[in-house]
Every structure is written in structure tokens, then in C-alpha cells.
Amino acid sequence: MRLLRYCLPVVCLFAFLGVPAPSDATPKPERTPVLSGNVVPISYDLTIEPKKWDFNGGTADGNETIIVNIHHATRGITMNAFAGITILSATIDGAVAETTKFPIEEQMEFSTGKSLTAGRHTITLRFIGKILSASDSGGLWENAFSRKHPTLVSFFEPATARSLFPCFDEPRFRAHFSIHVIAPSTWKVISNMPIAQVTALPKRPGKSTFSFAKTPDMPTYLLTLDMGDFSQVTGRFDQTPITVYVRPGKEALARSVLHTAGQTLTFYEHFFSTPFPLPKLDLVISDGALQSDFEGYGAVTFYTESVLEGLDSSDPLKGKRDAFEAVAQPIAQQWFGGLVGIKSWSNSWLTTSLTSWAVARAEAKLRPEFHVLPADIDWTWNFVSLWGSLKPLHYAVNDDRDTASYTSFFASATDAGQAVLDQWDAYVGDPTMRNTVQKFFSKYRGRGTTNAAFWKMFGTSQASGYGNSWLNEPGAPVVQAAFTCVHSRQILSLKQARIFDAEFHDRKSTVWPIPLSWTTNGKTHWIMLEGKPRQLDAGSCADTTVIDAGFRPTYLVHLSAPELKRLNRDTALSAVDRMRVFRDTFSLMTAHQATLPEYLVALHIATQMPRPQSFGYTLRDSLRGILQYLAGSPELPIVSKSINDSLHHAFLPEDLHSGKLLNLQNGLYWELAIIPDRRFAREALASWRKDRSKMRTPEDIALMTYSGTAGTPDDFTWVMHHILTGCNPHGWLPADPMPFLFGAHTRATVLRIFTHMQNKDCDYPGIVSRIGYYQPKIVADYIVTHAHDIMRSAPPSQQAWTLTDSIVNGAWAGRTPTQWRTFLQHTLSPADAPAIHDAMMKIEAKWARRRLLEAQLAAMK
């Protein structure tokens, strides 16, 4: 499953993933939400007939026969089922069974009132299942923009098969499935196995029963049930038929996907030395909006066409790469997840990371032209590394479904799992890695297994220590590197440290096993860095040594300012290594383990290459934080000059004149707006001035923001004309125009904006906060004189929060903490004491951070 990214605060993370943040108001389960394992399914014979539905959901008639094995005598059989499923009849071994629902746990218990002995038993159920709404994007639902071509698709990962039919809906339960679907005779119906028989229903004209061959053992979440008005294109690759289903008129897309699917399937068969495990592979492409796919075993479902058409990127080559990876990823999971599965969702790292590792190999072999694309430096993974491993989030997990959500996010969406495997692959060598994966397939074929079991396959304590540390150790590892010159030889000193986040981690003295490489004069060496510091001979003092050159390791490297300046002198340093140096230093500074001078040197290293990629939004966030901390400080001019000098290297004059400027990430232009530099403004304005009245794209908006800041007074007046005529006068300007207000550098302009926005349907307190980032003195004066105006813009219950938030997030640097405390106590009531206390804690912390940065800059002088 491919997930959208990315959200950094923990509460936002849980909301994004659908994982409820811990709350005292959360209903308490009446029983354990995880099934006991005493009753194990052997086979399902399932018939489903969609009856009535639309985008808001509907129902499906169903009946099923489940053969189970009971290990120890029990009074009842418990399965997973949504509370909305209606049971029409139930029997166990022919005896009528009563149904008891447990809605919080999404379980149902079936009992005849008598004890069931150990051994095999047969359950038969007639029921009405749920077709979920399009907004649920799970279970079985209608996924189409047009009713002209009706489409029902399934997405049962991690645990929504239970919305359609009662089942044992956990990945450790694997069983055979015999699937039957009653649907319009003209529809295409797709499931995991080939169609065995289509039977017309004489008493129901226009309807047929589509029956499929019995599946191998598989969990419920890999089940696919797709149906609708599809066109199809078929080919055969290495004896495996592949069929791509699309809505009519999209046959060209189907042929393109078929070509990629055939290539990747053939590659994996040879790469894994393991044939494709099923008799066919189907790929179903629906025309919805969900940016995801589902790697059903033998039947993959895509919920949007845009990625496969390369439409999600402005760069055509990158769009092709995204389309290739979208197809290659679920096909690799036919082996990692289908052939060899997981015992629980806490082991989903296993399949997602091995899949990413395999996709990278397929891309390098089949699409070498993608190599010219700048390598992504995954900023999300960088923040995950600040939180550390998966272990610390277990406190928020109520059951295995929640485990699936956050584990999939960390292991897949961040590419962290691939980084773990890539580093290990490079350390042990590709032949060892491939041989181990092949043995892994042989040993666990058709079974579920664990993360630890994979690492044991290497047969060394180093492998198990490495894999298990990343998954279970708190914190995140840091390598502190220093270079000294002794008798003309360069000595590289390495020792391990650790990042902790107090919200998640307890401090421990344990360290991680780290496979680490260093490259000098093109020659790479590897060691395993564990508990003891190491000193290594890294060549002559004149040589440049890079740690983990070209890799994206699972830890951060901390280089001091002198080491960073040494790298800065190396003009041959690759673009990937330049970005990695900045990534690591930026993250360490965020964790208060690197200094601002180190950050400024790392920024200069990163911007020596033209048009930095994967850069804009991270740069915006980091610069905004630095500038807010130093707003009004006498040290700010030093930082401004350093940043402007660095950013000037990121552009080529010919790009600015030719209009290629618009293809850059717009986040970078917002940063240019923060620290205006007329060297950029003169070039940028020339490229778009004549077309500025027709601006629509995010890049255009960013350039307009920039011109309002760094351009001429006339340019800013033009921007303000669009802002001050209303919050959303043309239907395309954001309702919240704060990004356009970076040009407010004078008292008169700030007051003009505030006066106009105060009575408009806009985020007036938010605008006060945003301008306060860069003009804290002016805004602090305004807040003191207009506090009641700001508070009146919010409901009475939120007025104290509105005022304190405007200060804490904007104007805090315009007054000392003592002055703010006096002001708040005078302005707010005694009942607002908790809000004042909370605000003052944040203001004090910000001032402490400001004093630390100023001290670091003073030391740099």
C-alpha cells in the first residue's frame, strides 16, 4: 500500500493515519480486540451480491461456509464483523447458533449453547454486509467520478474485510477462499484467482454468478473483489497471463501499464529465482481520486489513473518514474506479502521495506534513464529519525488495526525501511542479500512470519542486532565524526551518540550497530560501528573523505563547522552528498544537537548546485524558524547575508530569464520573500512581469509573493490591490492570504493590512501572527493597543487562546518575557491564568532558544 505523506506533529500524524490519539473519552473495549487464536479458519466458501449502493454506501447480500479448526473446547466462535452487518441466519455443524455483537471491538460471537470440542467444525452464515461510502475508501465501495461506467472496488487492508462479511480479519489467519460474485452479466468481475465458471441465472435476467478457482492460503486483507464496466488488455509474460482492466476509452493506458507489469514480473522472477506464485495477475485501474493502490494477491487495484499516467509531476521524466514505481511496487508485493506474509501488522515493516528494496533494483535494471533524476532526500524520514524507531509509539496502539496504520506509515511512506535494507545490502554485498532473500522465500512460502525471522536468515548476531535495533531501540542514532591530521595522515574519529525526544523516549545507554562507510579518492571502506569509538586512517591530509557517500543511511552524521568547511571546499562533492550533509545538519539543529553556524555552512554546501531538489519546503520551515527566533536581534544581519549568499548559488541567470524559474518548488520563493535580495528580484521579475495578471499556478503565486517583498514599491502595490479587495476576490487566491504578506516591512503597511483585514472574513489573528514572524516590534505594539479587537474576532471561550496564540506564534520577540507576563495579566481575567501560564512557558522557551543562537553566532565571529 502506498501512502500519502507527510505530517510531523504526533497528533496530526495520528489524525492522518486514522489512528485515534489516546483519550480518556475513548470507549473502553468490553473484551480483547485481538482474536484469541483458539479458532483458526481453514477455508471460506463466500458468495457476495451487491444489491443497492451509491457514493454514500449501500448493502450486499452474502452467504458463507467457513471450516475452522478448534484447538481447545470452547462455548462459542468469535469472528470480526462490523456492527452494521445483519446476520439473517447462523449455524454451527447444522445447529442453530445465536449471535452476540461486540461493536467496539468489531466482533461477533456465534454459539449453539453447547460446548464445541477440539477439531474441525463448519459455520454457515447468511447476512447483509456493508458497502462503504466513497469517503471511507475501504471495504467494498464505489470508486468512479462518473456513473456512466459503474465500478465497485475493494480495499481490505488493514482490516475492512469485516465490513463486508464476518471473518477472521487478522493477517496471521490464512485460509483458502472460494469466491462467488453475483453481478450484471455484462460486468467484468475480478478476484485473486482465475474465473472457473460463469453461470447465467435464468430466473434473474441480466445477472450471472462469477465463480473463481480456490485460492492458496492467504489472509483476508489480501482478498480482492473488483467489478464493473471495464475494458481489458491482456498479454503473457514468462508463462503468466497479465490482464489490465480500465474504464472504456483508456486502452492506451492499459497497454502502457501492461508493458511495465510484464517487464517487472519477468525481472522479479529472475532476481528472486522464484516463479510468480499464482496462475495469473490482474491489474484493475479505477478512475477515483484515492492516491493509493492495493497489492491484492493476484489482483492489484489502483484507485486513480493520474499516477499511472504520470500526471502527478510537472517533470515528465519524474512522472514516468512515478508511474513505473506505482506498478513495480504492488507486483513485488506478490512475493513479499503474498508468497511470504506477516504474522501480525507489527511486522509490516518486513513486506513494505523488502518491496521498496526490490523496486529500486528493478528500476535500476529496467529504467536506467531515471538515474539522471536527482535522488530524493526523504525529509519525512529525517523527522522520523528524530522520534526514533517504531517502538515508542506502541503506547497509542489499541489493537492490531492501529498497529497496521502507524507501522505502514513509518515503514513505507517514509522509505525508512528501504534505507535500512540498502545500508545492510551495501555492507554484506548484493550476492549475500539476494541469496538470503531466496532462502527466505523457500523457508516461509505460503506462511506468515516476523521481522526477526528475516534477520535470523543471515545467520549472524550482527544482522539480528542491526535489524532489531532499528525496530525496537528508542531514540535515533547519530554518528559524531571528526578529522585530525597526524604526520600527514588524516585520522577519522567516530563515535556514536543518540537523539531522544522527551515525549516518547527514556534515556538509555545502549547503542545501535551501524554499518558505516567512508570514501576517500573514490575508494569505499566499510566497518560496523557499535559501542566503542573508532579511529581510522582515512588517507592523506589533502584527501577529502565523505561518510556514507551516495547512501541514505538510517542515522544522522554530525560534522562540526571545521569539518563542514572542509567539505565545502570540495567542488567535486556530489549533489546527493551535498543534500545529505544539509539534511543531517538541519535535523540535528532541530534536535538542538547542531549549531546555527554549522547549519549555515551546510546550507552553503547544499546550494552550490543549481536548482536544488527536495528542498523548498524544508528550507522554508527551517528559515522561518531561524528568522523568527532572531527577529529584531542585532545578529540577524549576519544570518541574512549568509543565507542570501548561499541561495544566490541555487539559480542560473539563464533559467531566470528563460522562464524555467516556474518549474522550481514554490516553497523556495517564499523563502526568498522572507529575506529579500534584489539580486534575485531583478531577474525574477523580468521573467513574468508581462504575464502577471493571468497568474494561476502555485509557482506564479509564490513569485507574486516574492515580488511583493523584494520588488519595487509598484510591485508591492499591485500585490496589495489583489489582497485588499477581499480575501478571495477571484476564486483562486487562498482564503488565508498570509503568504502574500511578507512584503509588509513598514509600520504604515502593517497597520494598513491589519485595519483592512480586521472586519473581513479572514483569519485576522492568524495574519497578526504571521506578520509578527518578521516584524515582531511593530506587531507587538499593535497587539498591546488592539488586544480587545483581536480577542473579539474569536468566540468568547477562545478569546484568551486567540490573544496568547497571536503572541506566542508571532510577536513574542517584540517584548521581553517579563513585559508579556505583565501585559497578559493586566489584559486577561484571573480565569485565564492557565492560558497565561501555557503562553509564558512557550515564550520563555523561545527566548532561551534565541539566546542560544545568538551565543553561537557570537562565537562564530
Side-chain angles (χ1 to χ4, degrees), residues 87-99 109-112 123-127:
I87 302 298
L88 303 177
S89 66
T91 67
I92 301 177
D93 298 330
V96 174
E98 296 293 326
T99 304
E109 184 178 71
F110 302 95
S111 174
T112 62
I123 308 164
T124 60
L125 301 173
R126 289 181 57 248
F127 58 89

Side-chain angles (χ1 to χ4, degrees), residues 318-560:
K318 186 178 185 300
K320 291 179 180 179
R321 182 179 67 180
D322 293 344
F324 174 85
E325 292 177 350
V327 175
Q329 183 263 350
I331 294 179
Q333 287 192 308
Q334 303 301 302
W335 283 267
F336 299 116
L339 180 64
V340 174
I342 54 176
K343 283 189 175 180
S344 72
W345 285 110
S346 60
N347 293 293
S348 64
W349 173 89
L350 184 68
T351 54
T352 52
S353 57
L354 282 167
T355 296
S356 298
W357 168 80
V359 169
R361 271 73 191 155
E363 183 177 304
K365 177 68 174 179
L366 301 175
R367 297 291 189 274
E369 64 271 23
F370 296 158
H371 180 70
V372 301
L373 288 168
D376 289 334
I377 301 297
D378 200 316
W379 298 103
T380 313
W381 158 236
N382 229 34
F383 285 98
V384 172
S385 71
L386 296 183
W387 297 333
S389 66
L390 307 183
K391 189 72 171 179
L393 292 182
H394 283 211
Y395 81 92
V397 177
N398 296 318
D399 63 32
D400 212 39
R401 290 166 293 156
D402 294 343
T403 306
S405 296
Y406 78 73
T407 304
S408 293
F409 174 78
F410 281 102
S412 179
T414 64
D415 292 332
Q418 181 188 338
V420 170
L421 286 176
D422 282 348
Q423 197 79 357
W424 182 254
D425 188 341
Y427 176 65
V428 300
D430 198 58
T432 298
M433 185 73 175
R434 289 181 59 184
N435 183 57
T436 303
V437 169
Q438 291 163 13
K439 291 191 297 183
F440 183 65
F441 286 144
S442 297
K443 182 172 182 177
Y444 293 103
R445 184 184 184 96
R447 293 193 285 154
T449 187
T450 65
N451 300 324
F454 171 75
W455 291 106
K456 286 182 180 178
M457 294 297 298
F458 289 93
T460 67
S461 59
Q462 268 191 351
S464 294
Y466 172 68
N468 293 332
S469 291
W470 186 81
L471 289 166
N472 298 308
E473 286 290 337
V478 178
V479 172
Q480 294 178 336
F483 296 86
T484 55
C485 189
V486 179
H487 303 303
S488 300
R489 301 301 294 176
Q490 182 178 216
I491 304 301
L492 171 59
S493 299
L494 302 167
K495 65 178 181 178
Q496 189 176 154
R498 187 184 290 268
I499 291 177
F500 290 88
D501 187 317
E503 187 168 356
F504 292 124
H505 309 310
D506 295 323
R507 291 187 176 274
K508 294 184 179 179
S509 59
T510 55
V511 294
W512 298 38
I514 295 176
L516 180 145
S517 72
W518 76 95
T519 301
T520 304
N521 292 335
K523 187 174 182 180
T524 299
H525 311 267
W526 284 90
I527 63 167
M528 181 68 74
L529 181 65
E530 297 185 89
K532 296 181 180 179
R534 299 285 296 272
Q535 286 192 332
L536 308 167
D537 187 330
S540 72
C541 294
D543 294 332
T544 298
T545 297
V546 182
I547 299 174
D548 286 304
F551 284 94
R552 182 180 50 176
T554 57
Y555 54 87
L556 306 177
V557 177
H558 187 187
L559 298 171
S560 66

Side-chain angles (χ1 to χ4, degrees), residues 474-661:
V478 178
V479 172
Q480 294 178 336
F483 296 86
T484 55
C485 189
V486 179
H487 303 303
S488 300
R489 301 301 294 176
Q490 182 178 216
I491 304 301
L492 171 59
S493 299
L494 302 167
K495 65 178 181 178
Q496 189 176 154
R498 187 184 290 268
I499 291 177
F500 290 88
D501 187 317
E503 187 168 356
F504 292 124
H505 309 310
D506 295 323
R507 291 187 176 274
K508 294 184 179 179
S509 59
T510 55
V511 294
W512 298 38
I514 295 176
L516 180 145
S517 72
W518 76 95
T519 301
T520 304
N521 292 335
K523 187 174 182 180
T524 299
H525 311 267
W526 284 90
I527 63 167
M528 181 68 74
L529 181 65
E530 297 185 89
K532 296 181 180 179
R534 299 285 296 272
Q535 286 192 332
L536 308 167
D537 187 330
S540 72
C541 294
D543 294 332
T544 298
T545 297
V546 182
I547 299 174
D548 286 304
F551 284 94
R552 182 180 50 176
T554 57
Y555 54 87
L556 306 177
V557 177
H558 187 187
L559 298 171
S560 66
E563 274 78 48
L564 289 167
K565 290 177 180 177
R566 175 186 59 83
L567 283 179
N568 193 31
R569 292 192 293 268
D570 183 7
T571 58
L573 195 64
S574 73
V576 171
D577 290 329
R578 289 181 181 277
M579 289 302 298
R580 271 208 43 242
V581 166
F582 178 70
R583 182 204 77 161
D584 287 6
T585 308
F586 161 75
S587 295
L588 287 164
M589 182 183 166
T590 303
H592 300 182
Q593 291 196 16
T595 67
L596 180 53
E598 290 168 353
Y599 169 90
L600 294 175
V601 178
L603 176 63
H604 192 264
I605 290 173
T607 53
Q608 295 308 293
M609 55 181 181
R611 302 181 300 278
Q613 301 292 319
S614 301
F615 199 42
Y617 292 106
T618 298
L619 184 63
R620 180 183 66 190
D621 292 340
S622 64
L623 292 183
R624 182 167 57 193
I626 292 169
L627 295 172
Q628 185 186 10
Y629 281 120
L630 294 176
S633 169
E635 305 290 349
L636 182 60
I638 299 174
V639 178
S640 299
K641 184 178 186 306
S642 178
I643 292 175
N644 272 307
D645 289 344
S646 295
L647 293 180
H648 193 61
H649 289 277
F651 300 90
L652 295 177
E654 59 268 26
D655 289 345
L656 297 170
H657 286 298
S658 67
K660 293 180 182 178
L661 194 67

